[in-house]
Amino acid sequence: MEKVKHSTIFVNGINMHVAEIGEGPAILFLHGFPDLWYSWRHQMLSLSSRGYRCIAPDMRGYGDTDAPPSASSYTVFHIVGDLIALLDALGLDQVFLVGHDWGAFMAWYFCLFRPDRIRALVNTSVVFNPRNPSRKPLESLRAAFGDDYYMCRFQEPGEAEEEFARVDTATLIKSFLTFQTPGPLRVPKQVGIIASLQAPTILPSWLSEADINYYATKFNQKGFTGGLNYYRALDLTWELTAPWTGSQIKVPVKFVVGDKDVTYTTPGVKDYVHSGAFKRVVPFLEEVVVMEGVSHFLNQQKPEEISALIYDFIQRF
């Protein structure tokens, strides 16, 4: 990892930490929660060796990037604005885009707002859900899964942070990264977030103590509020994206998900992906790959396979 270059770039009013390696056509990697640029370490090394310039920022609110305190600073417009400014600062007209979790959510909107900047998209774990003009996201989530659904439990400022603080950060990160229970993820107040996640006694082979310590060091410095603010901005994003109701994602897309991913096993998602409904809102969806026995953090659990899936798609363009 010593070959990875690190820099801080001023974008859209914040200082963003960016990791980069390689030369050639550019790939922009977007991480999710609770994650860092570091989650893409395997793909960056693999694809840079194949002739690509690999760029992975710590997203707004994470790691060594600034974390504005207010949830209202974490809409899709703020995040996509950060990324457009990053491309401009790096002198890049177009990139291949790769996203996971909240990074995937933001990648969909990047392609919706600025398809001219994207050569092709490989998105993982999180499907594109078209905007429902009649109901806000949190209202829909509560109706479907109840108040204990994790996205609903993350809404109250300070509440999840207080629960997270009751356990050491390394244990919390282990719990998140190795979570495999099929969705939807519910965290009842009487049980608590930590007990609902259950940290493993032994790390899986794809995750080392050094990895956990890297995460823990960064989250001890930054805290979790920035990452949680993505969830807290959901309804505001819904309000602001009204003009894009009914719009389609019109870039070439490959979608990859694990069959044990909490997102894929949430009721209704499998049918949405395979019934043709997903393809109707993402008309240039060229491939859907469902990885057997793989859970949410697929880019770390199956690093070589994910690198190959990305390469196989983007080398066509």
Side-chain angles (χ1 to χ4, degrees), residues 28-306:
L28 180 63
F29 294 90
L30 309 180
H31 71 78
F33 178 90
D35 231 322
L36 300 163
W37 76 269
Y38 188 78
S39 69
W40 297 110
R41 59 197 179 279
H42 304 295
Q43 288 73 39
M44 293 178 73
L45 293 176
S46 174
L47 291 163
S48 63
S49 73
R50 289 175 175 260
Y52 289 90
R53 180 183 180 184
C54 298
I55 303 157
D58 281 334
M59 302 287 277
R60 175 182 289 242
Y62 288 93
D64 294 320
T65 293
D66 288 348
S70 172
S72 63
S73 296
Y74 290 81
T75 71
V76 290
F77 292 101
H78 291 86
I79 308 304
V80 175
D82 296 344
L83 300 171
I84 290 291
L86 175 61
L87 297 194
D88 291 345
L90 295 174
L92 296 169
D93 291 330
Q94 283 194 321
V95 293
F96 294 109
L97 193 59
V98 180
H100 175 253
D101 190 79
W102 270 107
F105 183 93
M106 295 302 171
W108 292 122
Y109 278 93
F110 194 138
C111 295
L112 187 66
F113 297 155
R114 294 299 304 271
D116 58 303
R117 306 300 293 267
I118 305 302
R119 296 178 69 175
L121 168 66
V122 178
N123 237 0
T124 67
S125 294
V126 175
V127 296
F128 177 65
N129 283 304
R131 184 181 183 275
N132 179 351
S134 61
R135 190 157 68 173
K136 292 183 179 183
L138 287 171
E139 185 182 348
S140 296
L141 292 171
R142 287 194 173 96
F145 308 123
D147 290 338
D148 291 336
Y149 186 59
Y150 78 105
M151 289 193 183
C152 302
R153 289 275 279 107
F154 285 173
Q155 292 302 308
E156 186 62 34
E159 191 173 281
E161 291 93 327
E162 187 177 325
E163 283 200 50
F164 291 173
R166 294 175 192 158
V167 66
D168 72 278
T169 304
T171 299
L172 184 62
I173 294 296
K174 289 178 186 178
S175 301
F176 274 117
L177 295 185
T178 61
F179 183 78
Q180 294 193 64
T181 305
L185 173 57
R186 293 186 175 94
V187 285
K189 282 192 177 183
Q190 62 269 28
V191 176
I193 296 170
I194 309 305
S196 298
L197 292 172
Q198 300 176 337
T201 52
I202 300 174
L203 285 177
S205 59
W206 51 271
L207 202 56
S208 70
E209 289 293 344
D211 297 330
I212 295 296
N213 289 337
Y214 184 88
Y215 278 98
T217 298
K218 297 302 179 183
F219 278 99
N220 278 331
Q221 292 170 356
K222 186 70 68 176
F224 288 90
T225 298
L228 291 165
N229 278 341
Y230 285 66
Y231 298 93
R232 294 166 184 165
L234 260 175
D235 277 355
L236 179 56
T237 280
W238 177 88
E239 293 175 17
L240 297 174
T241 52
W244 286 269
T245 301
S247 295
Q248 296 174 311
I249 304 295
K250 292 189 175 179
V251 303
V253 176
K254 180 174 188 171
F255 181 71
V256 185
V257 68
D259 67 350
K260 296 186 181 302
D261 194 320
V262 67
T263 63
Y264 187 65
T265 55
T266 295
V269 174
K270 291 181 187 179
D271 182 62
Y272 174 71
V273 170
H274 300 292
S275 68
F278 188 26
K279 175 88 171 169
R280 282 193 290 274
V281 294
V282 187
F284 303 142
L285 177 67
E286 297 188 15
E287 291 183 59
V288 173
V289 178
V290 180
M291 302 180 73
E292 187 176 346
V294 177
S295 50
H296 186 61
F297 291 91
L298 70 182
N299 53 341
Q300 299 189 71
Q301 186 180 353
K302 295 291 182 181
E304 293 177 6
E305 291 90 333
I306 294 297

Side-chain angles (χ1 to χ4, degrees), residues 8 20 226 269 317:
T8 300
E20 184 175 343
V269 174
F317 300 93

